[in-house]
Amino acid sequence: MEAQARHGTRAPTKKRMRELESLEAHLEVLLQDAKELKLPLQKVPAWLWKWESPWRGKHKGGEITSEGEAELFNLGIRSRERFPELFNEDYHPDVYLIKTTQVPRASASAVAFGMGLFSGKGNLGPQHHRAFAVTSESRASDIMLRFHDCCQNYKEWQ
């Protein structure tokens, strides 16, 4: 069995955070202008007057959230339960290969997935976790998981 999954839910990237802060400032100006021009405001939702970007002041972006970790952990559990015949062998990295890109959110997602997939299969801690390998290639040589960096057809399509 081979499966490929993207990272779990993540925070917006720094670029998107800046866009949200810009939107907040733009909304404030628009609402103030509408108020000063005495435009009809009864259709403006009350929440819009107080809206703030939930990411204001954050300086890092794109990392996996706790919800994203839980998504991948649960996906690992569901995969094992859905295909029990595929997971009846003892763990070996040649049998259960988990690959990720070098992007931190993807690596964290792979670890969360593996924790769910192999939960209860080891001797580590009260939850009986087991260690497992997660591998990655350099960004320059990863043509499978980072196809969007090297596939000319994909670049032209975008």
Side-chain angles (χ1 to χ4, degrees), residues 139-157:
R139 288 185 184 207
S141 64
D142 189 352
I143 62 171
M144 292 294 284
L145 297 178
R146 296 198 58 84
F147 66 90
H148 47 82
D149 289 338
C150 59
C151 177
Q152 196 55 43
N153 288 340
Y154 181 82
K155 288 179 180 182
E156 289 171 6
W157 177 73

Side-chain angles (χ1 to χ4, degrees), residues 15 35 41 59 62 78 82 91 98 114 116 122 131 136 150 153:
K15 177 183 175 185
K35 196 174 182 181
L41 301 173
H59 300 291
R78 288 193 312 272
R82 174 72 171 91
Y91 172 80
I98 299 176
S136 65
C150 59
N153 288 340

Side-chain angles (χ1 to χ4, degrees), residues 69-139:
E69 291 174 349
E71 290 165 358
L72 271 292
F73 180 80
N74 291 326
L75 179 61
I77 292 171
R78 288 193 312 272
S79 297
R80 186 185 69 231
E81 290 173 349
R82 174 72 171 91
F83 304 103
E85 68 281 1
L86 296 176
F87 301 103
N88 56 8
E89 289 187 48
D90 286 340
Y91 172 80
H92 189 279
D94 291 341
V95 176
Y96 303 110
L97 180 62
I98 299 176
K99 291 182 72 171
T100 182
T101 63
Q102 291 185 344
V103 176
R105 66 178 163 261
S107 299
S109 293
V111 170
F113 176 80
M115 288 178 70
L117 189 64
F118 302 118
S119 62
K121 299 283 188 176
N123 297 316
L124 300 175
Q127 286 82 29
H128 300 284
H129 292 294
R130 70 147 301 114
F132 56 92
V134 176
T135 61
S136 65
E137 294 184 31
S138 72
R139 288 185 184 207

Side-chain angles (χ1 to χ4, degrees), residues 27-39 41:
L27 282 172
E28 191 176 319
V29 168
L30 287 173
L31 290 168
Q32 191 59 39
D33 287 351
K35 196 174 182 181
E36 288 173 8
L37 293 171
K38 300 188 184 337
L39 297 175
L41 301 173

